[in-house]
């Protein structure tokens, strides 16, 4: 999944190349409005880092009111709107950020995340393509474009883009997990198992361990050692799934554990 946790990418966009200079950069003196806008922008970012989403949005809105040319305020507000589920508002903010400064790859990447939520693959591809054109070393954009190809079952293109992402950043467990899933769907179970093993070595992740077990099972070499070796996986979700594959829970018990969650969003995710 394209990370909305990429809220932290926005603090923003540094990993994605050039960004709009702060107001008053260079020889142009700051206006009083720009000074106030910078204060609101800084406080909005501080609120966002603390998870105070509504406060952050309010401050970014105030910054924009004082300095409508502040493209990063639109971008950051867009990311926060996505977290709140306001996809249309996010798209509007990303569009304005891009209009103000079309040189920033992360603005296209972030807007691609909004298109993903709307199921608009063509728009998402277009934005990933533009992000990559602007920054050919943008590993996250390759990863997300690969996800689109995988959803379309164009596994050759997906694997090529995951390879590109890993060539840029070979320490990302996410990229290995995604490539492993593509190998799995393609029926290349030994390759899937290898990718999940690497992902687990980079980051202890219960979901990767589950997929590693399933790939091993399909490859004819079932081994639940990877599932059993980390007891932390047995404490929180997907702990019941791990216990199921370890033979410690029955299917009805697993379903009961999944439906016991009170949060409806989490419950739906667990039932999937």
């Amino acid at each position: 999944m394209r990370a909305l946790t990429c809220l932290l990418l926005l603090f923003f966009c540094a990993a994605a190349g050039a960004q709009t200079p702060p107001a008053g950069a260079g020889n142009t003196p700051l206006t009083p409005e720009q000074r106030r806008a910078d204060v609101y922008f800084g406080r909005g970012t501080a609120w966002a880092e603390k998870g105070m989403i509504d406060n952050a949005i309010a401050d970014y809105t105030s910054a924009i009111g004082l300095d409508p040319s502040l493209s990063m305020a639109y971008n950051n507000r867009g990311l926060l709107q996505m977290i709140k589920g306001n996809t249309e508002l996010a798209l509007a903010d990303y569009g304005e950020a891009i209009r103000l400064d079309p040189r920033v790859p992360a603005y296209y990447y972030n807007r691609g995340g909004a298109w993903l939520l709307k199921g608009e693959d063509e728009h998402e591809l277009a934005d990933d393509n533009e992000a990559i054109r602007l920054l050919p070393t943008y590993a996250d954009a390759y990863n997300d474009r690969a996800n689109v190809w995988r959803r379309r079952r164009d596994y050759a293109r997906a694997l090529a883009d995951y390879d590109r992402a890993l060539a840029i950043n070979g320490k990302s467990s996410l990229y290995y997990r995604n490539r492993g899933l593509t190998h799995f769907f393609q029926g290349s179970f030994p390759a899937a198992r290898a990718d999940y093993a690497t992902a687990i070595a980079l980051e202890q992740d219960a979901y990767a361990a589950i997929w590693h077990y399933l790939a091993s099972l399909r490859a004819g070499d079932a081994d639940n050692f990877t599932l059993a070796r980390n007891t932390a996986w047995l404490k929180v979700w997907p702990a019941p799934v791990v216990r199921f594959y370890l033979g410690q829970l029955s299917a009805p018990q697993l379903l009961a554990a999944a439906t016991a969650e009170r949060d409806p969003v989490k419950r739906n995710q667990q039932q999937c």
Side-chain angles (χ1 to χ4, degrees):
M1 179 187 292
R2 179 189 296 266
L4 291 187
T5 56
C6 175
L7 167 61
L8 299 179
L9 160 71
L10 65 164
F11 297 138
F12 281 88
C13 310
Q19 49 186 298
T20 303
N27 297 321
T28 305
L30 288 168
T31 67
E33 289 78 12
Q34 287 173 324
R35 290 183 186 279
R36 290 174 61 201
D38 281 353
V39 171
Y40 278 112
F41 180 89
R43 191 173 70 175
T45 300
W47 284 127
E49 289 174 327
K50 292 178 178 293
M52 304 293 286
I53 305 303
D54 290 332
N55 289 6
I57 288 175
D59 275 350
Y60 285 136
T61 300
S62 295
I64 289 166
L66 290 163
D67 184 1
S69 69
L70 202 54
S71 67
M72 282 186 66
Y74 284 102
N75 173 73
N76 295 2
R77 190 174 69 176
L79 279 161
L80 298 173
Q81 294 290 8
M82 284 178 67
I83 290 173
K84 287 175 65 71
N86 300 327
T87 308
E88 295 297 339
L89 293 177
L91 283 169
D93 275 346
Y94 295 139
E96 187 61 14
I98 289 168
R99 185 190 71 80
L100 289 167
D101 192 348
R103 303 165 299 167
V104 182
Y107 295 172
Y108 296 94
Y109 171 82
N110 291 338
R111 189 172 67 175
W115 291 126
L116 169 64
L117 294 179
K118 286 178 65 67
E120 297 279 357
D121 277 2
E122 287 299 332
H123 290 305
E124 184 183 0
L125 274 176
D127 277 344
D128 283 335
N129 287 339
E130 184 62 13
I132 290 166
R133 186 189 70 81
L134 290 166
L135 185 65
T137 57
Y138 202 165
D140 281 345
Y142 284 112
N143 175 71
D144 288 327
R145 190 171 69 178
N147 291 342
V148 177
W149 298 132
R150 187 183 68 213
R151 292 198 301 271
R152 293 183 168 192
R153 299 185 181 182
D154 190 340
Y155 298 132
R157 281 183 172 179
L159 290 172
D161 270 347
Y162 290 132
D163 289 347
R164 292 184 183 102
L166 284 165
I168 296 164
N169 178 11
K171 298 297 184 181
S172 171
S173 63
L174 173 64
Y175 302 166
Y176 279 106
R177 292 199 306 271
N178 285 342
R179 191 175 70 176
L181 189 61
T182 305
H183 282 308
F184 189 95
F185 288 163
Q186 196 179 32
S188 302
F189 301 118
R193 179 177 56 192
D195 272 347
Y196 283 120
T198 303
I200 294 166
L202 290 167
E203 178 184 359
Q204 293 294 300
D205 179 82
Y207 286 103
I210 291 168
W211 281 102
H212 179 272
Y213 171 75
L214 293 174
S216 298
L217 195 65
R218 293 293 187 91
D221 184 24
D223 176 13
N224 63 17
F225 171 75
T226 300
L227 280 176
R229 73 180 182 182
N230 190 330
T231 56
W233 294 341
L234 302 177
K235 296 178 181 178
V236 296
W237 191 267
V241 182
V242 175
R243 290 186 180 278
F244 172 76
Y245 285 118
L246 289 174
Q248 298 172 3
L249 287 183
S250 66
Q253 288 173 320
L254 173 59
L255 180 59
T259 56
E261 172 61 50
R262 292 184 177 182
D263 184 309
V265 175
K266 290 183 179 179
R267 185 168 61 249
N268 287 337
Q269 291 172 342
Q270 291 176 181
Q271 287 180 272
C272 287

